[in-house]
Amino acid sequence: MINSPYIRKPASVQGVMLAVLIALVPAIVVYASQIAAVVLVNLTIATIAALAGEALVLKLRGRPLAPALSDLSAVVTAWLLALCFPPILPWWATALGVLIAIVAVKHLYGGLGQNPFNPAMVAYCAMIVAFPALMSQWPAAGQLDFATQLGLVLGGARELDAIASATALDTIKTGLRTAGATVESIMGQSENFGLVSGRGWEWLAPAYALGGMYLLARGIITWHMPAAFLGALAAISAAFWLVDPAHYASPLFHLASGGAMLGAFFIVTDPVSGATTPRGKLIFAACIALVAYIIRSFGAFPEGVAFAVLLLNICVPLIDMNTQPRVFGHRGDKAR
Amino acid sequence: MITRLFGFKGGVKPESHKNESSGPPIQKGPIPKRLVIPLRQSIRSTARCLVQPGQKVLKGEHIGEGEGGLGTSVHASTSGTVVEIAPYPMAHASGMETLSVVIEPDGEDRWIDHTPLDLRAVSREEALAWLRGCGIVGMGGAGFPTHVKIGGGQGIETLVINGAECEPWITCDDRLMRERAAEVLSGAMILRELIGAKQVLVGIEDNKPEAIAAMQAAASKLGDGIAVVPVPTLYPAGGEKQLIRVLTSVEIPQGKLGTDFGVQCFNVGTAHAVHRAICFGEPLVSRVVTLTGNVARPGNYEVLLGTQVAELLQLAGPKADTDRYIMGGPMMGTELQSLSVPVTKGTNCVISASPALFPPPPPELPCIRCGACARACPAELQPFELYWFSRAKNFGKAQEYHLFDCIECGCCAFVCPSRIPLVDYYRFAKGEIWARERERQASDQARERFEFRNYRQEREKEEKAAKLAAKAAETRAKLADTGEPAPAPAEAEDPKKALIAAALARAKQQQAAVAPRNTEDLSADVQAEIADIDARREKLNQQDADKAP
Ligand code: SF4
Ligand code: SF4
């Protein structure tokens, strides 16, 4: 027997995931047109790998295929990874990364909704640790023609030095190790910098933000995490920058570089592995920004968002437990 | 009177489906062939039967005497003959049976003599007794006796009249307000006088402009101190606590009553019944019921209490593909197990459901912690946490997360993209907790009794020993200075009493210490609900036992 309520809002997990995919479209368009068209190939490879991996595990676990495959959650993970990885990553590395995310992280924890860690970020970190060289080969925007890009992705000789140019974050970090170098001098020297960050790459930031607005408007995400994440990142970087502008990049640079915007709207906001209470979301996202900034500026890796997310994933139960909102009618006595 | 509106958090906007039934005026339902009037008017009290089979009764005649503090009188809804007094199913999810008076109407619909009550000539207590005698209870669904609710009327600032009617499909209050605004407000003024409130606020969802206009017109004739306030259409704005919040900004916690906060709330139907009872002396024998959904003639019908649903449905003509019937609204109603159940004072709506109108939800997916449920919850709970703890049978945690603050409004399940029947999990957990509670209380009592017996035996032994010692000492003393018998230890009585008192106090303390959080101060509604769940479980157990070879 079905019990009340007898009516349901026409909402579905599939709908939520689809909204996320739609929200990624502006960034994909910018990416493909400004930076590397091969990203479209990567997205396809990642999608296939994700669905195949998901199907395989479901089969092994004896679960029905259709509901899980059609909920699109695997595709979301695949797309996020493809967008995080360098666009010229060989196809097998992209596929491997996606399989790590789906098989190892998502399903070993019990499938959709069960994973305490963000699957895409676990896979990203695993790949960085396992293939540091491959994972740091980024082309400058528009540097390689499509045939070359495709050749690199599908395998073939890789002449690293010829194609690899460090990301904006990386350039700044390594550049500052030289005596006398300042942020300004580094940015002035390299033609890979645009107005505020990496040339071409900096346009990804507004595109992700646009998608984020869409998610906010649809009510898929709430303002808490993006606001706290971007706010905290801006505040911390501003503090350092104001004290020593020669050796710390501006807040604008930080917001427009690396995974900041993608992180703010699409990664930090992963509901399954993130904090859930309103105050918890603020704390969670702000802490990620703090850790990411520290890794970016002082750590061994050029980009910090992924590691920061994983670190904070561990703290989620603690954060949630201590930020339970007040229940209706219970003024001043918070739930424990 | 200027009123500022306040919001409550959460809420959802399901399609209202009010137009289907709100068009035509209230029609009087015909006198059915048979009336089944349950003596159990609510879960809390069963009336004592005053009639016998074969006896002739008139409309409004007393057939059941309300018993206990929460009892109200039961009346014959029309004139006729009592043909049977037997258990019949009542309108309840469990299909529970209850002792009912079956009346065969004579078709004359002849009233007993009834006269209005002059409120100025009687005391407040007499007026309350009058309402109790007229069988007035809350008509919004809970069926709580009105005289009891008025009873605590001390320091009440505001009387709220609930005309929000936020559940989709239901329009009986809407029609009542449109057609009988003056009567509803007359009842409101009587209630105001009885509870001693200063102002009356009538809250109506703004998707009922005609009702608002009619009520405002009627209110303008009554002068100051009464305001008809349109409230935003947002389910569950008609939840008592939500409406009070919207109109007065007061938040009444679970387990507390409005009286503690200077507000009291009555449904418009109740106000109307109060008007009839005081101004005409009419007992509550009929009510307006919405018949809607998959029917040929949706609308509102004024029907006699005790009319069986099967007969009631003929008025609206359910279509052929109707597969089940929902009593109440689609958010909080229950599926009827039997069509022989009668209309009672709390029956506001019967919806004919078809697979097209109410499709079964697609299969449940895992929770993705999207938080949609938490944003929709008007009790400001974290439904997914409650779900998780209920599912894992971690009832202690569920209580810590305020399970008993859940009003089972269904908003969370309504929005859940994974289509998890969240409310079912809460019902299960609440029932389980209550069952364990009962068991524990019973075993506590048994243990106490046992401990007390042990203690008594020990004490008796000690006393015996003491007596013997005293006697020995006495004898010795006697032997020592022959003569002068020492006074017997007669005060032994007193320390004994003190010891017993101490033991009882200890036992009481122990009992108090183990009471769980969040089940204290349960409101009558919640208790009733729990009793319901118990009854349901009892029934299931019974079925299981029957099935077992
Ligand atoms: S709405 Fe459903 S899926 Fe989302 S958090 Fe609540 S229970 Fe989980
Ligand atoms: S049913 Fe309970 S938990 Fe769900 S929205 Fe209503 S009050 Fe909140």
Side-chain angles (χ1 to χ4, degrees):
Chain A
M1 192 175 101
I2 305 165
N3 291 318
S4 61
Y6 299 96
I7 46 175
R8 300 301 182 108
K9 193 174 167 174
S12 64
V13 173
Q14 196 185 36
V16 172
M17 298 297 166
L18 188 64
V20 177
L21 296 181
I22 292 172
L24 285 171
V25 167
I28 292 173
V29 171
V30 170
Y31 203 132
S33 61
Q34 296 292 310
I35 302 162
V38 78
V39 75
L40 298 174
V41 178
N42 293 345
L43 285 165
T44 317
I45 293 169
T47 306
I48 294 170
L51 292 176
E54 179 107 28
L56 182 75
V57 189
L58 290 170
K59 197 107 199 170
L60 289 177
R61 294 177 69 195
R63 297 280 181 86
L65 297 189
L69 283 181
S70 63
D71 71 19
L72 296 180
S73 62
V75 182
V76 168
T77 305
W79 283 27
L80 290 177
L81 271 177
L83 291 170
C84 288
F85 286 160
I88 51 172
L89 198 64
W91 66 269
W92 57 265
T94 303
L96 180 64
V98 170
L99 287 175
I100 292 173
I102 300 290
V103 178
V105 191
K106 184 174 171 187
H107 277 287
L108 288 190
Y109 276 109
L112 179 67
Q114 309 289 320
N115 41 288
F117 295 103
N118 184 322
M121 291 304 102
V122 175
Y124 180 84
C125 292
M127 291 299 289
I128 278 211
V129 172
F131 304 98
L134 275 182
M135 289 290 287
S136 55
Q137 291 168 11
W138 295 79
Q143 188 195 36
L144 306 171
D145 61 32
F146 184 68
T148 319
Q149 295 171 11
L150 199 61
L152 285 164
V153 165
L154 297 182
R158 301 178 80 81
E159 281 171 40
L160 295 188
D161 292 345
I163 47 156
S165 68
T167 61
L169 278 166
D170 220 8
T171 313
I172 297 253
K173 187 185 265 177
T174 23
L176 283 174
R177 294 207 186 107
T178 324
T182 63
V183 172
E184 211 171 334
S185 70
I186 299 165
M187 284 182 73
Q189 273 163 22
S190 169
E191 58 186 39
N192 288 343
F193 283 98
L195 294 170
V196 292
S197 170
R199 188 164 52 79
W201 293 95
E202 62 197 3
W203 290 109
L204 271 182
Y208 283 127
L210 185 67
M213 295 304 140
Y214 171 72
L215 291 183
L216 279 171
R218 284 277 314 269
I220 306 278
I221 59 173
T222 59
W223 61 269
H224 304 81
M225 291 210 200
F229 177 84
L230 296 174
L233 186 60
I236 304 160
S237 49
F240 279 94
W241 177 64
L242 285 174
V243 170
D244 185 0
H247 292 98
Y248 295 98
S250 71
L252 211 54
F253 172 83
H254 273 283
L255 293 182
S257 302
M261 284 293 165
L262 177 63
F265 292 102
F266 295 90
I267 297 194
V268 174
T269 51
D270 168 43
V272 176
S273 57
T276 53
T277 63
R279 274 189 308 142
K281 286 177 180 176
L282 294 175
I283 296 172
F284 175 78
C287 289
I288 291 178
L290 174 68
V291 176
Y293 182 82
I294 292 172
I295 297 177
R296 273 181 175 189
S297 304
F298 312 107
F301 294 100
E303 170 62 356
V305 176
F307 288 99
V309 166
L310 294 189
L311 200 59
L312 265 296
N313 280 163
I314 305 173
C315 310
V316 161
L318 199 68
I319 297 176
D320 274 353
M321 209 158 61
N322 290 298
T323 54
Q324 283 301 309
R326 182 190 70 88
V327 169
F328 183 87
H330 295 252
R331 271 178 204 287
D333 79 272
K334 277 184 226 96
R336 287 196 289 167
Chain B
M1 198 159 41
I2 298 156
T3 10
R4 186 162 99 74
L5 288 185
F6 302 84
F8 62 90
K9 290 226 178 78
V12 295
K13 290 184 184 183
E15 268 182 67
S16 80
H17 286 285
K18 304 256 187 192
N19 291 341
E20 282 88 333
S21 57
S22 66
I26 298 170
Q27 296 166 59
K28 232 179 151 65
I31 297 170
K33 285 192 283 301
R34 238 160 97 82
L35 289 168
V36 179
I37 302 172
L39 286 167
R40 182 166 179 161
Q41 291 285 302
S42 75
I43 208 77
R44 301 164 206 100
S45 90
T46 305
R48 185 163 47 86
C49 187
L50 299 177
V51 290
Q52 260 139 48
Q55 188 176 331
K56 290 243 181 309
V57 289
L58 292 177
K59 181 172 188 161
E61 190 167 327
H62 227 157
I63 59 172
E65 177 65 47
E67 291 197 315
L70 295 173
T72 51
S73 297
V74 180
H75 306 86
S77 336
T78 187
S79 57
T81 316
V82 176
V83 291
E84 193 187 1
I85 293 162
Y88 271 85
M90 57 187 249
H92 193 277
S94 67
M96 222 178 350
E97 297 202 331
T98 185
L99 197 65
S100 307
V101 176
V102 181
I103 295 174
E104 220 167 68
D106 56 16
E108 290 170 25
D109 209 25
R110 212 142 37 84
W111 272 101
I112 45 159
D113 286 338
H114 51 285
T115 49
L117 178 74
D118 183 1
L119 276 183
R120 275 157 306 178
V122 298
S123 70
R124 190 165 169 276
E125 282 63 44
E126 283 171 293
L128 295 190
W130 181 275
L131 290 178
R132 180 179 195 261
C134 285
I136 310 297
V137 301
M139 291 173 79
F144 197 76
T146 302
H147 69 275
V148 179
K149 209 166 166 181
I150 299 173
Q154 288 295 315
I156 304 278
E157 187 70 25
T158 308
L159 167 66
V160 168
I161 299 293
N162 188 347
E165 200 167 48
C166 60
E167 273 260 19
W169 296 97
I170 309 178
T171 56
C172 56
D173 288 350
D174 182 10
R175 286 306 323 182
L176 197 69
M177 290 187 288
R178 287 198 214 181
E179 297 175 33
R180 303 179 197 170
E183 295 184 83
V184 171
L185 290 185
S186 153
M189 298 314 266
I190 296 166
L191 283 168
R192 175 172 87 163
E193 201 175 320
L194 289 175
I195 66 171
K198 295 200 180 65
Q199 58 168 352
V200 182
L201 297 175
V202 186
I204 307 174
E205 272 195 350
D206 56 16
N207 63 353
K208 292 179 264 295
E210 292 93 342
I212 293 170
M215 294 286 279
Q216 271 171 345
S220 65
K221 291 190 193 117
L222 293 172
D224 277 356
I226 181 159
V228 175
V229 189
V231 300
T233 298
L234 180 68
Y235 175 87
E240 184 166 306
K241 287 177 180 166
Q242 278 66 42
L243 187 62
I244 288 176
R245 160 79 196 163
V246 170
L247 292 175
T248 67
S249 89
V250 171
E251 272 186 30
I252 299 167
Q254 177 265 340
K256 294 282 186 299
L257 295 173
T259 27
D260 304 336
F261 294 83
V263 210
Q264 196 59 288
C265 179
F266 295 91
N267 176 263
V268 285
T270 314
H272 179 257
V274 166
H275 162 79
R276 301 298 304 179
I278 301 290
C279 300
F280 298 92
E282 270 178 26
L284 182 50
V285 292
S286 66
R287 71 155 295 147
V288 183
V289 180
T290 305
L291 299 180
T292 183
N294 195 39
V295 294
R297 296 174 296 279
N300 287 285
Y301 299 85
E302 175 147 28
V303 295
L304 299 177
L305 300 178
T307 305
Q308 285 168 303
V309 168
E311 239 182 302
L312 183 69
L313 284 166
Q314 298 319 307
L315 297 173
K319 293 182 192 158
D321 60 334
T322 297
D323 61 346
R324 63 214 152 99
Y325 296 92
I326 298 164
M327 185 169 261
M331 293 299 286
M332 293 182 81
T334 48
E335 188 179 326
L336 282 177
Q337 299 299 296
S338 148
L339 290 190
S340 62
V341 301
V343 169
T344 59
K345 293 170 186 178
T347 310
N348 50 9
C349 180
V350 180
I351 305 176
S352 297
S354 65
L357 282 178
F358 299 94
E364 184 178 337
L365 288 173
C367 167
I368 53 169
R369 291 164 58 92
C370 65
C373 50
R375 294 198 289 280
C377 178
E380 298 171 43
L381 301 169
Q382 299 279 302
F384 55 90
E385 303 274 22
L386 292 177
Y387 154 71
W388 177 250
F389 293 132
S390 302
R391 201 178 121 117
K393 303 213 169 86
N394 190 344
F395 299 127
K397 270 283 186 198
Q399 274 169 276
E400 258 178 47
Y401 278 74
H402 295 274
L403 173 67
F404 282 94
D405 281 85
C406 166
I407 54 173
E408 298 187 15
C409 65
C411 290
C412 51
F414 178 79
V415 297
C416 176
S418 290
R419 297 155 194 295
I420 302 169
L422 293 163
V423 191
D424 286 357
Y425 285 95
Y426 312 148
R427 291 185 183 119
F428 161 76
K430 286 179 183 174
E432 238 15 61
I433 290 167
W434 202 247
R436 284 176 194 199
E437 188 68 4
R438 287 249 174 99
E439 267 160 36
R440 219 215 45 239
Q441 270 174 9
S443 74
D444 274 359
Q445 274 165 11
R447 199 193 57 227
E448 252 165 53
R449 250 177 274 136
F450 174 75
E451 279 173 359
F452 188 69
R453 204 192 63 195
N454 278 357
Y455 156 76
R456 200 187 56 214
Q457 285 171 345
E458 209 142 282
R459 191 196 60 207
E460 279 166 1
K461 228 190 270 169
E462 271 169 26
E463 277 170 8
K464 226 181 225 167
K467 255 185 210 156
L468 278 176
K471 207 146 203 193
E474 205 181 311
T475 329
R476 247 179 277 132
K478 248 189 221 164
L479 287 175
D481 61 52
T482 0
E484 284 289 302
E491 304 92 337
E493 274 308 299
D494 259 344
K496 204 157 97 185
K497 258 187 206 153
L499 280 173
I500 298 176
L504 280 174
R506 225 175 317 144
K508 226 182 218 159
Q509 247 173 14
Q510 270 172 3
Q511 197 182 359
V514 289
R517 308 178 59 228
N518 199 242
T519 53
E520 298 158 28
D521 310 322
L522 290 184
S523 69
D525 281 1
V526 177
Q527 263 171 13
E529 200 174 273
I530 290 162
D532 272 16
I533 295 166
D534 277 343
R536 241 180 283 164
R537 180 180 317 96
E538 191 53 44
K539 206 170 169 240
L540 284 177
N541 288 345
Q542 197 59 43
Q543 281 171 356
D544 286 350
D546 289 350
K547 260 185 237 146

